[in-house]
Amino acid sequence: MLSYLPSFELTNQVVVVTGAGKGIGRALAIGAAEAGADVVVLARTEADIQETAGLVRDVGRKAYPIIADITKESELTEAVQQIEKEAGKINVLINNAGMNIRSKASDVTEVEWTQIFQTNLQGAFFMSQKCAEVMKEGGGGKIINISSVAGHVALRTGVVYAASKAGMIQMTKNLALEWAENGITVNAIGPWYFRTPLTEKLLQDEQYLADILNRTPMKRVGELKDLVGAAVFLSSEASNYITGQTLFVDGGMTSYGF
């Protein structure tokens, strides 16, 4: 029977997730495992990645915990070499590692600027560069950058964070253009507010939460499973003809008009 429905499964795929120790990264790692993938769990804190690796194994998939600082290129080189040795291939890279320091523009220091850009943009670029070489040898792959709605619209998250996430969106387009001939798709996901350990304190502020919901047509904060579906879609063959795009998972926030 003729069928046009592509597979959303990731069976026998190796998915690398940076910043996988907790929050969004942990959810994406577990979601990839639930879709059938073996998962490389990469972060700086051993206790966190070992916990995430255990959760991946509970799903019945292999987990490869790797300690690496995304801001240090030498550690990324060693990490990718270790992934090749242990997992044998890289099918999907999810650049999730990120951070923010909420400062007014007049108060931003050079140290803050460097730290945010090294983590959010530089780390994602060099991890992509190194994983892409492995993907090319394997005939292709998929790279997913976790950006933010802050890279598209102005928010109170701070100018440096916004600039780094906007840079990630543009980097996504350029890498997609350059690596398309190698069978590598490069896309981004732009989340709005999601309930994670990092946002928990902010969301406990009733006025702050009310401001968020007022800007969200769906009138709710995102749940982690809302992001997992988007990531699995962009990791699977269902997205084979999509590249250079940013999928905003935001409850309609970036479509909002006054």
Side-chain angles (χ1 to χ4, degrees):
M1 182 179 69
L2 184 63
S3 174
Y4 290 100
L5 182 65
S7 176
F8 290 82
E9 294 184 2
L10 303 178
T11 305
N12 298 321
Q13 303 285 291
V14 173
V15 176
V16 180
V17 183
T18 70
K22 60 183 67 174
I24 289 174
R26 175 172 289 178
L28 296 179
I30 296 170
E34 291 174 336
D38 297 327
V39 186
V40 176
V41 180
L42 188 148
R44 290 182 297 181
T45 306
E46 182 172 9
D48 289 341
I49 62 172
Q50 291 295 348
E51 185 174 351
T52 302
L55 294 169
V56 168
R57 294 185 184 113
D58 287 345
V59 177
R61 305 307 306 174
K62 294 179 182 177
Y64 304 93
I66 294 180
I67 300 173
D69 184 342
I70 200 76
T71 68
K72 298 178 180 178
E73 186 185 358
S74 60
E75 292 192 20
L76 296 183
T77 298
E78 293 174 2
V80 172
Q81 290 173 346
Q82 185 178 347
I83 294 167
E84 276 198 283
K85 181 179 179 180
E86 296 184 13
K89 61 181 179 178
I90 298 173
N91 301 107
V92 180
L93 166 65
I94 302 178
N95 282 311
N96 167 72
M99 57 91 64
N100 190 20
I101 301 171
R102 292 171 179 267
S103 297
K104 294 181 179 179
S106 57
D107 298 330
V108 172
T109 66
E110 183 178 358
V111 171
E112 290 174 348
W113 178 280
T114 300
Q115 188 176 359
I116 293 170
F117 263 80
Q118 282 184 333
T119 303
N120 294 358
L121 193 56
Q122 177 183 304
F125 172 76
F126 283 109
M127 190 65 179
S128 297
Q129 181 192 65
K130 297 173 194 313
C131 288
E133 292 304 309
V134 179
M135 291 176 179
K136 290 173 185 177
E137 295 175 2
K142 294 176 181 290
I143 296 174
I144 302 165
N145 296 317
I146 305 301
S147 182
S148 168
V149 296
H152 182 67
V153 298
L155 300 176
R156 289 181 290 175
T157 48
V159 63
V160 187
Y161 179 82
S164 70
K165 292 301 187 178
M168 177 174 271
I169 289 173
Q170 189 61 37
M171 181 181 76
T172 296
K173 296 177 183 179
N174 279 76
L175 294 183
L177 179 64
E178 186 168 339
W179 292 339
E181 64 183 20
N182 302 113
I184 299 172
T185 64
V186 187
N187 292 290
I189 294 174
W192 179 217
Y193 273 92
F194 279 76
R195 293 193 181 277
T196 71
L198 291 177
T199 62
E200 184 177 358
K201 186 175 181 179
L202 284 171
L203 297 178
Q204 287 176 349
D205 183 325
E206 292 185 5
Q207 185 56 56
Y208 196 89
L209 177 59
D211 290 345
I212 292 170
L213 298 183
N214 284 336
R215 294 193 64 177
T216 309
M218 292 185 71
K219 300 302 178 187
R220 70 175 177 87
V221 174
E223 302 294 340
L224 290 176
K225 63 182 179 181
D226 298 324
L227 275 179
V228 170
V232 169
F233 164 63
L234 290 175
S235 299
S236 74
E237 70 174 43
S239 63
N240 278 354
Y241 202 53
I242 300 172
T243 195
Q245 305 302 309
T246 298
L247 175 58
F248 291 103
V249 185
D250 62 0
M253 180 267 186
T254 52
S255 300
Y256 199 87
F258 292 95

